[in-house]
Amino acid sequence: MTEGILDGKLALVAGVANKRSIAWAIAQALHGAGARLAFTYQGDRLEDSVRKLAETVGSDVVVPCDVSSDESIEAAFDQLGQRLGGLDILAHSIAFAPAESFEGRFIDTSRHAFVTALDISAYSMVAMARSAEPLMAPRGGGAMVTLTYMASERAFPKYNVMAVAKAGLECSVRYLAYELGPAQIRVNAISAGPVRTLAAKGIPGFDQMEAVIEARSPLQRNIEAGDVGNAALYLCSPLASMVTGTTLYVDSGYHAMGM
Ligand code: NAP
């Protein structure tokens, strides 16, 4: 049903670390719908694996981008502009907080951990959106999507400062949607249930999160990365042409529950 719905569209997927990454599931969904893909990766360590994955979806546009550096973001978007000639879709699937911030009490979060988590996990969306805007606006608009988690709204033990970063990210989505709306650029977030990825390994109690979803969510089973990929495809496609500034839950309905 969605085959060809993104024919001719240019999409940047940021945050592929390996084939388990949510970003990779998004890339596959966008590719399946006809989009031409480009990728960013953080450091030399990941270049080979991202290039190999990119090849399998017919892409050789793979550029470095460390979102903790303005220069790196600017250089990446310069290259993307030259290689693609514009952009229609930005999928931002990036987060980081120092490991120790998941271990102790939230109250003991260091200034450094707080600033780092907010910088990499929330500010990076603002910075990438700013660089993407001039590539999208001349094409008549575009769509941006980012990944969040419900710990932004309620206390999830040990998610700690990352929850604060996700709250900042969701709020940023609303402001970006407001400011970019006149250029017909839509900005949305997906609040995903737990998915076993590299980043998830760093979260204590992850097994328990999965068990709770099975026991208490309306659908009584855990989501897969592909479910998030499909939701991202919807948000980035004309099917969601009047949807912006929102958070879409892909969490087996868990957010609807009181207990
Ligand atoms: P993942 O595969 O580990 O992806 C996280 C990505 O962020 C990696 O590619 C990582 O690169 C990148 N990143 C970290 N610091 C960066 C930097 N300075 N510059 C550029 N990239 C950087 O894990 P994931 O679970 O798919 O995470 C993707 C998104 O989904 C995150 O925003 C996460 O919070 C969100 N999410 C995940 C879950 C879940 O249960 N997995 C649930 C809800 C939301 P490196 O590997 O090089 O650090």
Side-chain angles (χ1 to χ4, degrees), residues 15-17 21-23 42 45-46 65-68 93-96 120 147-149 159 166 192-195 197-200 206:
V16 174
S21 295
I22 290 174
Q42 184 189 180
R45 182 175 54 86
L46 285 184
C65 181
D66 178 346
V67 297
S68 65
S93 186
I94 289 174
F96 175 78
I120 308 294
L147 266 298
T148 187
Y149 184 54
Y159 205 77
K166 292 302 191 191
V195 180
T197 62
L198 201 60
F206 186 82

Side-chain angles (χ1 to χ4, degrees), residues 61-74:
V61 186
V62 180
V63 304
C65 181
D66 178 346
V67 297
S68 65
S69 151
D70 287 336
E71 294 73 35
S72 179
I73 295 175
E74 280 161 26

Side-chain angles (χ1 to χ4, degrees), residues 25-239:
I26 294 173
Q28 288 176 296
L30 299 179
H31 171 69
R36 179 179 172 206
L37 299 183
F39 295 87
T40 57
Y41 61 91
Q42 184 189 180
D44 295 345
R45 182 175 54 86
L46 285 184
E47 180 174 359
D48 269 4
S49 54
V50 178
R51 271 194 194 285
K52 281 188 186 120
L53 285 171
E55 270 171 28
T56 67
V57 290
S59 171
D60 64 352
V61 186
V62 180
V63 304
C65 181
D66 178 346
V67 297
S68 65
S69 151
D70 287 336
E71 294 73 35
S72 179
I73 295 175
E74 280 161 26
F77 277 86
D78 270 359
Q79 263 201 66
L80 289 164
Q82 284 167 27
R83 301 273 310 266
L84 299 177
L87 196 64
D88 302 296
I89 292 168
L90 166 64
H92 169 281
S93 186
I94 289 174
F96 175 78
E100 71 270 14
S101 49
F102 296 107
E103 285 153 14
R105 299 197 309 160
F106 172 69
I107 201 170
D108 294 324
T109 305
S110 68
R111 188 180 299 272
H112 166 73
F114 195 100
V115 169
T116 303
L118 272 283
D119 182 14
I120 308 294
S121 316
Y123 180 72
S124 64
M125 177 63 185
V126 181
M128 291 188 100
R130 187 165 60 241
S131 291
E133 180 187 11
L135 297 179
M136 287 184 175
R139 290 173 67 85
M144 303 182 184
V145 67
T146 187
L147 266 298
T148 187
Y149 184 54
M150 203 180 53
S152 59
E153 301 162 50
R154 304 181 203 171
F156 279 63
K158 302 294 182 202
Y159 205 77
N160 293 357
V161 70
M162 184 57 85
V164 181
K166 292 302 191 191
L169 178 67
E170 289 169 25
C171 188
S172 302
V173 162
R174 291 186 281 273
Y175 278 83
L176 291 170
Y178 165 66
E179 288 185 351
L180 298 179
Q184 303 308 307
I185 298 170
R186 300 180 295 102
V187 189
N188 292 293
I190 295 172
S191 184
V195 180
R196 284 186 180 268
T197 62
L198 201 60
K201 276 192 184 154
I203 299 169
F206 186 82
D207 292 349
Q208 200 191 343
M209 285 175 174
E210 287 186 316
V212 167
I213 296 288
E214 278 184 19
R216 300 196 206 147
S217 73
L219 297 177
Q220 297 185 353
R221 58 194 172 94
N222 277 284
I223 71 157
E224 293 172 6
D227 299 314
V228 183
N230 288 338
L233 167 57
Y234 157 70
L235 287 172
C236 295
S237 80
L239 293 174

